[in-house]
Amino acid sequence: ASQPSVFPQLRAPPDEDEDEGIRYVDNLRVVGGLLGTPLKASGEFVGTPEATWFRQRSSLTGRGEDRFVPLGAAQGLEYLPTADDVGAVLRLECVGPYGGKPVAVETSPIALDPPTHAELEAFLRKGQAEFHAFTPQQEARIVLVTRKNIKVRSKSSRMGGGASTLYKQGYQRPVTAVVDEHSPQEMALQLGALKFELLMETPRLRDLAVLCIRMFAGPNCPTHEQLGAELDLAESEDMSARSQPDGSERPTEAPSSARGAAPPAGAGGAELGGVHWSDEEEEGEGEEEFKPAMEVKIRAIEDVVVADTTTLKKFSLGLAPPKAAGGSRSRAGTGATPPSPARRAGEAAVSRPC
């Protein structure tokens, strides 16, 4: 979908339809349905209604219907969908100022807007994506997402400074990207036992980064709601497993760490066994390849050639001749050391006539 849709009010069951009395909320409708476009509700109200938004959570147990969970930070007749809402049905319930039964509207699954869809496809074709962020302490961070792994890098604040890898993890271990519903620009990236709180420049960049991470990580990157549903399922199964036939419970054992959650105390070594803490980069992950200015090779001894006399003569003939000596100058002008007395006596003996 490329244009917002209009979602009408749900019809109340026949036994709940009020034929008499004042309808404090009627003809409720919601316009929207795209990521990045606010959902806006309107209708016929008597007084100011109380509005609550819900997100549909899929049931992983297969027992029972999907249920709606309230969005704590979403109050009022307008709500801006986030990355957590993509693919989910949202529900708005309005109650009149004097109570009564709620009037509801349900949307279709929230769809990606065309620009975000195009950028995600470009990331997938390229095989990597890079996002710039800040920590709550205003330290620059770079999140590099590739087909092989995900990295959190520290960007130097010095002029011309590079970036060093703080943490690197492959997708064989769980990765969780969580949207902060109380802040439109914040997200949390859970890698193994570590949690990175990041602040993006705009809400759209935050949602784009979360969707990109989930796209590359695949099933190992559950959404916030999927993670909560899995925890509910694990707790239910644990309670069933600990129940005795007589109704009592078995002794409680230490539960295994949830996907993307911190490990129990003392399990740090096992939890971090599959990650790398170094600046070493793997080939083909967006790092600039080092190219030396010159290359030096050492020949093997069997490749060495011993030059003979003819070869040396040809080589010497190919050299440039030495420069000619300059004109003679007087000894006084050159500042040379005067000849010794013995040398002067020898020169006088040679020049004396026989």
Side-chain angles (χ1 to χ4, degrees), residues 165-247:
T165 300
L166 298 177
Y167 193 82
K168 176 171 66 174
Q169 176 178 303
Y171 299 125
Q172 69 275 10
R173 298 187 59 80
V175 178
T176 306
V178 180
V179 170
D180 189 339
E181 62 180 17
H182 298 284
S183 175
Q185 297 171 234
E186 292 187 27
M187 61 170 287
L189 180 61
Q190 188 84 28
L191 300 176
L194 296 183
K195 181 179 181 181
F196 297 91
E197 295 183 355
L198 302 171
L199 177 65
M200 298 293 180
E201 185 177 354
T202 64
R204 183 180 180 277
L205 283 178
R206 189 273 309 269
D207 291 336
L208 183 64
V210 170
L211 292 171
C212 180
I213 293 171
R214 292 174 180 173
M215 176 180 67
F216 276 95
N220 282 346
C221 186
T223 62
H224 184 56
E225 296 301 334
Q226 288 173 334
L227 183 61
E230 290 177 358
L231 293 177
D232 294 343
L233 176 59
E235 182 180 357
S236 175
E237 292 178 346
D238 183 64
M239 291 294 294
S240 300
R242 290 191 287 113
S243 299
Q244 297 280 9
D246 57 358

Side-chain angles (χ1 to χ4, degrees), residues 17 113 318 330:
D17 193 9
D113 58 295
S330 63

